[in-house]
């Protein structure tokens, strides 16, 4: 199939009937965990902002936090009782602490002290708040606030890195005059900024109207009916991108090589094996596609001939090796970037590199004609193939941005932030 064919009309079998168009899952229940810093006095503003946005809000506070902000104020604004103790017979009767951890769709820790970050990083649960943070399965959004030297301390930075790698999201801290008299980084983000970030995490439909096609996983190139050439891609990176795009209200098609991962909610999965099957599946979706993300590890070559029967070593001379001729596979990403309708579409590629990562990614950006390349150093043991974390750089014609080690879920969120910014810029361009 040629690049022109890639732009062909949607074939009948690719009908979108029956796909659960992602009604944005606006999760509504926010648990605010307040720990003991002076910035706690701003939490009532955060409660008000989230309540005004239509969310159910509950608060819990450490003993120290209750010195800085009155639980009665939080209770009045949220309309819910505020828990401060792990073992309180009265409150435990109302909603037990595990039920509270399960209740939340999102937990916001604001302010998060250095002590709270350390306990979270090390799984310490020695009061109500830290127990809730350990017990909850909801995503965590953390707004640190502390003295600049505490923030910069290697112990705190190591704790932050651990939490980020586990998928915990951060907002702030900001720089400025601190309550302790020092100036620098450590001020809690403003309540409005925390609320906006919480809204985004709750699934605001910022990609509604977009059709996002994501390739994921590795391809299998058949040698014979039982053997194939493959690679170590698990599909984790691409599946996280598809899941995050669906949470943001996009129509999402996930064209995936073989992967044991479950299909994310609200995503239509098209299962393929080989690179040519992947290319055909992408072609079938392209007419509607407005954002294409190529996270798959596509085999560049396939055996020239896939034997119809199992290749038998007895058919070879005793000391003879087996020589396999390989031919090139189509470059799906480059074809999509050249396909007609390009002006309607944002094209994002990945670059799996093991040396000179940024330079190689810049060359790929140009050669393949993408708007954005996500470069990852696959020689690292904590990034790239078949791990839950990734360390990536975003490479565009305008410049590069290198992110710290993050969970693949967080990388997906950051990537979609970039996608949204690029889409917004494209819409603003004069036609
Ligand atoms: O799946 P995981 O275990 O989570 O691992 C994630 C990952 C390492 C696979 C992912 O982060 C990643 O880097 N994906 C791209 C892997 C790759 O094939 O990179 P590449 O540098 O060889 O290819 C560059 C780009 O061209 C990629 O977007 C690739 O999808 C695309 N390509 C490559 C060859 C080809 N024939 N067709 C393509 O579309």
């Amino acid at each position: 199939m040629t690049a022109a064919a890639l732009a062909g009309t949607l074939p009948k079998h690719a009908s979108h009937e029956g796909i659960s168009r992602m009604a944005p899952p606006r999760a509504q229940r926010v648990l605010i965990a307040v720990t003991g810093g002076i910035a706690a006095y701003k939490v009532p503003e955060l409660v008000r902002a989230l309540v005004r946005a239509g969310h159910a809000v509950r608060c819990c506070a450490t003993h120290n936090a209750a010195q800085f902000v009155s639980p009665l104020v939080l209770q009045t604004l949220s309309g819910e009782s505020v828990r401060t103790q792990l073992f309180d017979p009265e409150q435990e009767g109302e909603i037990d602490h595990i039920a509270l951890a399960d209740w939340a769709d999102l937990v916001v820790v604001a302010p998060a002290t250095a002590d709270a970050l350390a306990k979270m990083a090390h799984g310490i649960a020695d009061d109500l708040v830290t127990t809730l943070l350990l017990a909850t399965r909801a995503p965590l959004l953390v707004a640190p606030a502390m003295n600049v030297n505490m923030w910069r301390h290697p112990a705190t930075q190591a704790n932050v890195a651990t939490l980020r790698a586990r998928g915990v999201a951060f907002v702030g801290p900001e720089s400025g005059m601190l309550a302790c008299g020092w100036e620098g980084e450590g001020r809690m983000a403003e309540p409005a900024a925390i609320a906006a970030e919480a809204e985004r995490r709750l699934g605001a439909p910022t990609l509604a109207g977009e059709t996002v096609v994501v390739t994921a996983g590795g391809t299998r190139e058949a040698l014979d009916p039982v053997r194939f050439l493959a690679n170590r891609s698990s599909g984790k990176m691409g599946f996280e991108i598809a899941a995050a795009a669906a949470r943001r209200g996009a129509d999402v098609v996930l064209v995936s090589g073989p992967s044991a991962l479950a299909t994310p909610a609200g995503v239509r999965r098209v299962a393929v094996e080989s690179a040519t099957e992947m290319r055909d599946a992408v072609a079938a979706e392209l007419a509607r596609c407005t954002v294409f993300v190529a996270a798959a590890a596509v085999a560049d070559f396939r055996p020239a001939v896939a034997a119809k029967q199992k290749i038998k070593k007895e058919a070879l001379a005793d000391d003879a090796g087996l020589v396999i001729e390989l031919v090139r596979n189509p470059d799906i990403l480059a074809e999509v970037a050249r396909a007609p309708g390009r002006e309607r579409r944002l094209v994002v590629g990945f670059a799996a590199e093991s040396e000179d990562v940024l330079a190689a990614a810049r060359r790929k950006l140009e050669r393949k004609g993408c708007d954005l390349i996500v470069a990852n150093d696959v020689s690292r043991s904590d990034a790239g193939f078949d791990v839950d974390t990734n360390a990536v750089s975003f490479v565009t014609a305008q410049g590069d941005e290198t992110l710290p080690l993050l969970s693949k879920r967080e990388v997906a969120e950051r990537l979609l932030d970039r996608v949204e910014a690029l889409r917004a810029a494209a819409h603003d361009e004069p036609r």
Side-chain angles (χ1 to χ4, degrees):
M1 190 176 291
T2 61
L6 268 170
T9 52
L10 197 66
K12 283 197 177 66
H13 71 266
S15 151
H16 284 241
E17 270 170 28
I19 304 164
S20 46
R21 171 87 172 85
M22 195 64 188
R26 288 184 58 80
Q28 297 278 322
R29 294 166 300 191
V30 185
L31 176 64
I32 301 180
V34 192
T35 68
I38 174 69
Y41 83 92
K42 293 181 178 174
V43 172
E45 272 307 307
L46 175 61
V47 176
R48 275 167 59 129
L50 290 169
V51 168
R52 252 193 244 123
H55 301 296
V57 178
R58 286 179 184 265
C59 298
C60 58
T62 62
H63 174 74
N64 286 342
Q67 312 295 311
F68 292 109
V69 61
S70 152
L72 188 60
V73 172
L74 300 177
Q75 179 172 322
T76 308
L77 293 173
S78 66
E80 300 284 350
S81 61
V82 175
R83 288 204 55 164
T84 53
Q85 290 173 47
L86 191 51
F87 303 113
D88 179 330
E90 255 175 53
Q91 292 184 319
E92 201 67 12
E94 243 174 82
I95 177 166
D96 76 66
H97 65 272
I98 295 297
L100 190 53
D102 292 343
W103 170 85
D105 294 307
L106 176 73
V107 178
V108 180
V109 190
T113 59
D115 177 63
L117 294 177
K119 285 178 176 163
M120 288 169 75
H122 295 279
I124 296 171
D126 63 354
D127 64 6
L128 170 76
V129 167
T130 47
T131 303
L132 283 168
L133 294 176
L134 197 59
T136 189
R137 292 173 56 92
L140 297 174
L141 174 62
V142 173
M146 65 198 73
N147 163 270
V148 58
N149 298 322
M150 291 169 82
W151 173 250
R152 284 193 192 146
H153 196 287
T156 303
Q157 289 303 310
N159 291 332
V160 169
T162 300
L163 292 169
R164 278 192 203 280
R166 260 183 226 153
V168 174
F170 283 77
V171 50
E174 290 170 0
S175 285
M177 186 55 86
L178 305 176
C180 56
W182 281 75
E183 196 166 345
E185 230 181 340
R187 215 167 65 180
M188 189 175 82
E190 288 305 317
I194 302 172
E197 191 57 32
E199 283 272 43
R200 212 171 59 73
R201 306 262 153 198
L202 286 166
T206 45
L207 283 175
E210 303 281 6
T211 299
V212 178
V213 177
V214 182
T215 67
T219 61
R220 287 180 179 175
E221 310 298 329
L223 279 164
D224 68 15
V226 295
R227 303 183 180 98
F228 49 79
L229 302 179
N231 60 64
R232 291 173 40 225
S233 171
S234 62
K236 287 178 181 176
M237 190 66 254
F239 277 57
E240 287 293 359
I241 296 166
R247 284 195 296 273
R248 294 181 185 213
D251 261 342
V252 184
V253 183
L254 176 62
V255 180
S256 173
S259 167
L261 299 174
T263 307
V267 167
R268 182 162 63 98
R269 178 173 182 171
V270 181
V272 298
E273 287 240 337
S274 65
T276 47
E277 281 177 27
M278 183 172 276
R279 191 260 310 266
D280 291 350
V282 167
E285 306 298 335
L286 207 58
R288 291 161 44 100
C289 169
T290 57
V291 177
F292 178 68
V293 184
V298 185
D300 288 318
F301 297 93
R302 67 177 182 279
V305 179
K308 292 257 177 311
Q309 305 299 332
K310 184 178 170 213
I311 300 168
K312 290 196 164 41
K313 61 177 178 295
E314 294 77 17
L316 304 168
D318 276 354
D319 56 351
L322 178 63
V323 177
I324 301 164
E325 189 194 345
L326 299 177
V327 293
R328 264 182 198 277
N329 267 330
D331 187 322
I332 304 167
L333 176 62
E335 287 187 5
V336 169
R338 284 198 300 268
R342 179 69 173 83
E343 65 289 349
R344 288 185 277 109
R345 201 172 293 128
L346 187 82
V347 177
V348 180
F350 270 69
E353 307 294 344
S354 55
E355 55 184 343
D356 288 340
V357 176
L358 285 176
R362 283 184 208 116
R363 286 195 294 275
K364 249 171 211 171
L365 180 78
E366 184 121 334
R367 200 176 68 242
K368 301 213 182 198
C370 306
D371 299 298
L372 166 63
I373 284 277
V374 183
N376 41 195
D377 181 349
V378 293
S379 67
R380 288 175 59 151
S381 61
D382 55 1
F385 290 90
D386 201 17
V387 286
D388 293 330
T389 48
N390 210 354
V392 305
S393 298
F394 295 145
V395 177
T396 65
Q398 284 70 45
D400 312 332
E401 182 194 1
T402 297
L403 306 184
L405 183 73
L406 296 170
S407 66
K408 284 185 174 168
R409 182 183 175 132
E410 188 59 24
V411 170
E413 294 290 353
R414 301 282 192 102
L415 172 59
L416 293 182
D417 288 348
R418 267 304 183 104
V419 163
E420 285 180 16
L422 288 166
R423 289 297 280 164
H427 285 135
D428 290 348
E429 264 174 24
R431 282 150 210 264

